[in-house]
Amino acid sequence: MNTGPATRQPASRTLRIERALPFPYEFDIARTALVLIDMQRDFIEPGGFGETLGNDVSLLEAIVPATRRALHAWRQAGGLVVHTREAHLADLSDCPPAKRNRGNPTLRIGDEGPMGRILVAGEPGNRIIDALAPLDGEIVIDKPGKGAFYATGLHERLQQRGITHLLFGGVTTEVCVQTSMREANDRGYDGLLLEDCTESYFPAFKAATLDMVRAQGGIVGWTAPSTELLAVLHRPS
Ligand code: C5J
């Protein structure tokens, strides 16, 4: 059974990432969650949805070591962790044609692939990759849409815990990560995207998204390399 520091409630402690863009990002560890978006086999491993869309999944795999280090440090600090999975019901009643019929994939959502039915809850390909597997006590959200807040109850669960700040990582930067950050901002959260813990199949889209997030005085939020987060977490208080 997975056990670990995830169920501990951290003491209030205010940290500041000086080198965040567009300006320093301050957060209380007791009121902040690390949200990892869709780090699933279907997007990151060969044979999944990402590859059926014609993408090179090795680009996404490259962020796993940095994401794992950030996750480990956050867990050691006792911070709340949220994992999301893009996951549909087996009958696809939560997957409208406007989503299922997009693109020209070799396999569509719900079709049988090498790792089971594509983006269907409970299928092997829908699992979060082993390197980032959730621990007991961490929140795991199945989301039918691109945003982590749409039809998931995530906002209510974060409110119950007094969460005000969100650190984001995951895939893909310009689709589910950016959508989730925008949804979060609309709901009043201050969000920071960990630059090396997110990736796109299209490097130019990742770069553009980082620019968009921090443009206009941080219209969506902040960005910073995960090494800056590790540095503040490891600094003696
Ligand atoms: C996509 C996602 N790209 N998690 N999903 O379809 O970004």
Side-chain angles (χ1 to χ4, degrees), residues 37-38 40 43 49 53 86 119 143 146 171-173 175-177 201:
I37 303 288
D38 300 356
Q40 300 164 240
F43 292 112
F49 187 53
L53 286 160
E86 189 165 339
L119 291 192
K143 64 184 197 33
K146 295 173 178 64
V171 297
T172 59
T173 315
V175 184
C176 291
V177 175
Y201 299 118

PDB file of all heavy atoms in Angstrom, residues 37-38 40 43 49 53 86 119 143 146 171-173 175-177 201, ligand 1:
ATOM      1  N   ILE A  37      -1.222  17.743 -13.937  1.00  0.00           N
ATOM      2  CA  ILE A  37      -2.279  17.533 -14.920  1.00  0.00           C
ATOM      3  C   ILE A  37      -1.939  16.367 -15.863  1.00  0.00           C
ATOM      4  O   ILE A  37      -0.923  16.408 -16.578  1.00  0.00           O
ATOM      5  CB  ILE A  37      -2.488  18.822 -15.762  1.00  0.00           C
ATOM      6  CG1 ILE A  37      -2.828  20.040 -14.885  1.00  0.00           C
ATOM      7  CG2 ILE A  37      -3.528  18.602 -16.862  1.00  0.00           C
ATOM      8  CD1 ILE A  37      -4.206  20.039 -14.283  1.00  0.00           C
ATOM      9  N   ASP A  38      -2.753  15.343 -15.826  1.00  0.00           N
ATOM     10  CA  ASP A  38      -2.817  14.303 -16.880  1.00  0.00           C
ATOM     11  C   ASP A  38      -1.478  13.634 -17.217  1.00  0.00           C
ATOM     12  O   ASP A  38      -1.176  13.388 -18.398  1.00  0.00           O
ATOM     13  CB  ASP A  38      -3.436  14.893 -18.166  1.00  0.00           C
ATOM     14  CG  ASP A  38      -4.841  15.422 -17.943  1.00  0.00           C
ATOM     15  OD1 ASP A  38      -5.377  15.271 -16.828  1.00  0.00           O
ATOM     16  OD2 ASP A  38      -5.407  16.001 -18.889  1.00  0.00           O
ATOM     17  N   GLN A  40      -0.440  10.841 -17.629  1.00  0.00           N
ATOM     18  CA  GLN A  40      -0.987   9.501 -17.850  1.00  0.00           C
ATOM     19  C   GLN A  40      -0.225   8.769 -18.939  1.00  0.00           C
ATOM     20  O   GLN A  40       0.325   9.382 -19.853  1.00  0.00           O
ATOM     21  CB  GLN A  40      -2.444   9.623 -18.314  1.00  0.00           C
ATOM     22  CG  GLN A  40      -3.359  10.310 -17.358  1.00  0.00           C
ATOM     23  CD  GLN A  40      -4.653  10.732 -18.031  1.00  0.00           C
ATOM     24  OE1 GLN A  40      -4.983  11.911 -18.066  1.00  0.00           O
ATOM     25  NE2 GLN A  40      -5.401   9.775 -18.562  1.00  0.00           N
ATOM     26  N   PHE A  43      -0.888   9.740 -22.627  1.00  0.00           N
ATOM     27  CA  PHE A  43      -0.232  10.896 -23.255  1.00  0.00           C
ATOM     28  C   PHE A  43       1.278  10.718 -23.361  1.00  0.00           C
ATOM     29  O   PHE A  43       1.909  11.292 -24.242  1.00  0.00           O
ATOM     30  CB  PHE A  43      -0.530  12.181 -22.459  1.00  0.00           C
ATOM     31  CG  PHE A  43      -1.963  12.599 -22.538  1.00  0.00           C
ATOM     32  CD1 PHE A  43      -2.781  12.552 -21.421  1.00  0.00           C
ATOM     33  CD2 PHE A  43      -2.501  13.023 -23.746  1.00  0.00           C
ATOM     34  CE1 PHE A  43      -4.106  12.923 -21.496  1.00  0.00           C
ATOM     35  CE2 PHE A  43      -3.837  13.397 -23.834  1.00  0.00           C
ATOM     36  CZ  PHE A  43      -4.637  13.340 -22.711  1.00  0.00           C
ATOM     37  N   PHE A  49      -3.020   7.693 -26.526  1.00  0.00           N
ATOM     38  CA  PHE A  49      -3.778   8.676 -27.303  1.00  0.00           C
ATOM     39  C   PHE A  49      -2.855   9.677 -28.000  1.00  0.00           C
ATOM     40  O   PHE A  49      -3.049  10.007 -29.171  1.00  0.00           O
ATOM     41  CB  PHE A  49      -4.739   9.404 -26.360  1.00  0.00           C
ATOM     42  CG  PHE A  49      -5.687  10.330 -27.032  1.00  0.00           C
ATOM     43  CD1 PHE A  49      -6.483   9.904 -28.084  1.00  0.00           C
ATOM     44  CD2 PHE A  49      -5.817  11.643 -26.602  1.00  0.00           C
ATOM     45  CE1 PHE A  49      -7.384  10.766 -28.699  1.00  0.00           C
ATOM     46  CE2 PHE A  49      -6.715  12.512 -27.203  1.00  0.00           C
ATOM     47  CZ  PHE A  49      -7.495  12.071 -28.253  1.00  0.00           C
ATOM     48  N   LEU A  53      -2.492  10.421 -32.217  1.00  0.00           N
ATOM     49  CA  LEU A  53      -2.711  11.713 -32.875  1.00  0.00           C
ATOM     50  C   LEU A  53      -1.506  12.098 -33.737  1.00  0.00           C
ATOM     51  O   LEU A  53      -1.470  13.183 -34.327  1.00  0.00           O
ATOM     52  CB  LEU A  53      -2.960  12.794 -31.824  1.00  0.00           C
ATOM     53  CG  LEU A  53      -4.337  12.745 -31.147  1.00  0.00           C
ATOM     54  CD1 LEU A  53      -4.307  13.508 -29.820  1.00  0.00           C
ATOM     55  CD2 LEU A  53      -5.417  13.318 -32.037  1.00  0.00           C
ATOM     56  N   GLU A  86      -7.297  12.691 -17.548  1.00  0.00           N
ATOM     57  CA  GLU A  86      -8.355  12.911 -18.540  1.00  0.00           C
ATOM     58  C   GLU A  86      -8.996  11.549 -18.740  1.00  0.00           C
ATOM     59  O   GLU A  86      -8.365  10.624 -19.254  1.00  0.00           O
ATOM     60  CB  GLU A  86      -7.775  13.470 -19.843  1.00  0.00           C
ATOM     61  CG  GLU A  86      -8.860  13.913 -20.798  1.00  0.00           C
ATOM     62  CD  GLU A  86      -8.322  14.791 -21.929  1.00  0.00           C
ATOM     63  OE1 GLU A  86      -7.238  15.372 -21.790  1.00  0.00           O
ATOM     64  OE2 GLU A  86      -9.011  14.876 -22.958  1.00  0.00           O
ATOM     65  N   LEU A 119      -8.388   6.764 -23.236  1.00  0.00           N
ATOM     66  CA  LEU A 119      -8.939   7.787 -22.326  1.00  0.00           C
ATOM     67  C   LEU A 119     -10.222   7.355 -21.611  1.00  0.00           C
ATOM     68  O   LEU A 119     -11.078   8.189 -21.313  1.00  0.00           O
ATOM     69  CB  LEU A 119      -9.166   9.129 -23.044  1.00  0.00           C
ATOM     70  CG  LEU A 119      -7.932   9.928 -23.480  1.00  0.00           C
ATOM     71  CD1 LEU A 119      -8.341  11.343 -23.904  1.00  0.00           C
ATOM     72  CD2 LEU A 119      -6.873  10.024 -22.399  1.00  0.00           C
ATOM     73  N   LYS A 143     -11.218  13.829 -14.963  1.00  0.00           N
ATOM     74  CA  LYS A 143     -11.864  14.992 -15.601  1.00  0.00           C
ATOM     75  C   LYS A 143     -12.260  14.661 -17.043  1.00  0.00           C
ATOM     76  O   LYS A 143     -11.442  14.147 -17.803  1.00  0.00           O
ATOM     77  CB  LYS A 143     -10.936  16.221 -15.538  1.00  0.00           C
ATOM     78  CG  LYS A 143      -9.631  16.097 -16.300  1.00  0.00           C
ATOM     79  CD  LYS A 143      -8.801  17.340 -16.051  1.00  0.00           C
ATOM     80  CE  LYS A 143      -7.676  17.582 -16.998  1.00  0.00           C
ATOM     81  NZ  LYS A 143      -7.789  17.186 -18.393  1.00  0.00           N
ATOM     82  N   LYS A 146     -11.058  19.513 -20.632  1.00  0.00           N
ATOM     83  CA  LYS A 146      -9.661  19.942 -20.645  1.00  0.00           C
ATOM     84  C   LYS A 146      -9.270  20.565 -19.309  1.00  0.00           C
ATOM     85  O   LYS A 146      -8.157  20.400 -18.844  1.00  0.00           O
ATOM     86  CB  LYS A 146      -9.432  20.905 -21.810  1.00  0.00           C
ATOM     87  CG  LYS A 146      -9.623  20.199 -23.157  1.00  0.00           C
ATOM     88  CD  LYS A 146      -9.586  21.126 -24.339  1.00  0.00           C
ATOM     89  CE  LYS A 146      -9.745  20.332 -25.634  1.00  0.00           C
ATOM     90  NZ  LYS A 146     -11.050  19.647 -25.756  1.00  0.00           N
ATOM     91  N   VAL A 171       0.748  17.842 -18.518  1.00  0.00           N
ATOM     92  CA  VAL A 171       0.658  17.906 -19.984  1.00  0.00           C
ATOM     93  C   VAL A 171      -0.809  18.021 -20.418  1.00  0.00           C
ATOM     94  O   VAL A 171      -1.694  17.595 -19.697  1.00  0.00           O
ATOM     95  CB  VAL A 171       1.283  16.629 -20.600  1.00  0.00           C
ATOM     96  CG1 VAL A 171       2.757  16.566 -20.260  1.00  0.00           C
ATOM     97  CG2 VAL A 171       0.572  15.351 -20.170  1.00  0.00           C
ATOM     98  N   THR A 172      -1.002  18.563 -21.626  1.00  0.00           N
ATOM     99  CA  THR A 172      -0.037  19.312 -22.392  1.00  0.00           C
ATOM    100  C   THR A 172      -0.166  20.788 -22.025  1.00  0.00           C
ATOM    101  O   THR A 172      -1.244  21.249 -21.648  1.00  0.00           O
ATOM    102  CB  THR A 172      -0.264  19.149 -23.924  1.00  0.00           C
ATOM    103  OG1 THR A 172      -1.576  19.610 -24.259  1.00  0.00           O
ATOM    104  CG2 THR A 172      -0.127  17.708 -24.345  1.00  0.00           C
ATOM    105  N   THR A 173       0.936  21.502 -22.183  1.00  0.00           N
ATOM    106  CA  THR A 173       0.990  22.873 -21.666  1.00  0.00           C
ATOM    107  C   THR A 173      -0.141  23.749 -22.183  1.00  0.00           C
ATOM    108  O   THR A 173      -0.804  24.438 -21.409  1.00  0.00           O
ATOM    109  CB  THR A 173       2.341  23.515 -22.044  1.00  0.00           C
ATOM    110  OG1 THR A 173       3.391  22.581 -21.798  1.00  0.00           O
ATOM    111  CG2 THR A 173       2.580  24.783 -21.261  1.00  0.00           C
ATOM    112  N   VAL A 175      -2.944  22.902 -23.737  1.00  0.00           N
ATOM    113  CA  VAL A 175      -4.321  22.400 -23.737  1.00  0.00           C
ATOM    114  C   VAL A 175      -4.796  22.268 -22.279  1.00  0.00           C
ATOM    115  O   VAL A 175      -5.311  23.229 -21.701  1.00  0.00           O
ATOM    116  CB  VAL A 175      -4.457  21.083 -24.537  1.00  0.00           C
ATOM    117  CG1 VAL A 175      -5.922  20.646 -24.608  1.00  0.00           C
ATOM    118  CG2 VAL A 175      -3.930  21.262 -25.959  1.00  0.00           C
ATOM    119  N   CYS A 176      -4.598  21.111 -21.656  1.00  0.00           N
ATOM    120  CA  CYS A 176      -5.219  20.913 -20.340  1.00  0.00           C
ATOM    121  C   CYS A 176      -4.555  21.723 -19.222  1.00  0.00           C
ATOM    122  O   CYS A 176      -5.220  22.109 -18.261  1.00  0.00           O
ATOM    123  CB  CYS A 176      -5.245  19.423 -20.020  1.00  0.00           C
ATOM    124  SG  CYS A 176      -6.400  18.549 -21.102  1.00  0.00           S
ATOM    125  N   VAL A 177      -3.260  21.986 -19.344  1.00  0.00           N
ATOM    126  CA  VAL A 177      -2.603  22.752 -18.276  1.00  0.00           C
ATOM    127  C   VAL A 177      -3.062  24.210 -18.328  1.00  0.00           C
ATOM    128  O   VAL A 177      -3.490  24.786 -17.321  1.00  0.00           O
ATOM    129  CB  VAL A 177      -1.062  22.642 -18.379  1.00  0.00           C
ATOM    130  CG1 VAL A 177      -0.398  23.539 -17.337  1.00  0.00           C
ATOM    131  CG2 VAL A 177      -0.623  21.190 -18.207  1.00  0.00           C
ATOM    132  N   TYR A 201       3.497  18.672 -27.172  1.00  0.00           N
ATOM    133  CA  TYR A 201       4.036  17.975 -28.346  1.00  0.00           C
ATOM    134  C   TYR A 201       4.606  18.999 -29.342  1.00  0.00           C
ATOM    135  O   TYR A 201       5.292  18.618 -30.290  1.00  0.00           O
ATOM    136  CB  TYR A 201       2.938  17.165 -29.041  1.00  0.00           C
ATOM    137  CG  TYR A 201       2.316  16.088 -28.173  1.00  0.00           C
ATOM    138  CD1 TYR A 201       0.952  16.127 -27.850  1.00  0.00           C
ATOM    139  CD2 TYR A 201       3.065  15.018 -27.691  1.00  0.00           C
ATOM    140  CE1 TYR A 201       0.370  15.147 -27.066  1.00  0.00           C
ATOM    141  CE2 TYR A 201       2.490  14.030 -26.907  1.00  0.00           C
ATOM    142  CZ  TYR A 201       1.137  14.104 -26.597  1.00  0.00           C
ATOM    143  OH  TYR A 201       0.562  13.126 -25.822  1.00  0.00           O
TER     144      TYR A 201
HETATM  145  C1  C5J B   1      -5.077  16.835 -24.694  1.00  0.00           C
HETATM  146  C2  C5J B   1      -4.325  17.231 -22.432  1.00  0.00           C
HETATM  147  N1  C5J B   1      -4.073  17.503 -25.240  1.00  0.00           N
HETATM  148  N2  C5J B   1      -4.190  16.605 -21.277  1.00  0.00           N
HETATM  149  N3  C5J B   1      -5.140  16.636 -23.359  1.00  0.00           N
HETATM  150  O1  C5J B   1      -5.950  16.354 -25.397  1.00  0.00           O
HETATM  151  O2  C5J B   1      -3.738  18.259 -22.685  1.00  0.00           O
END
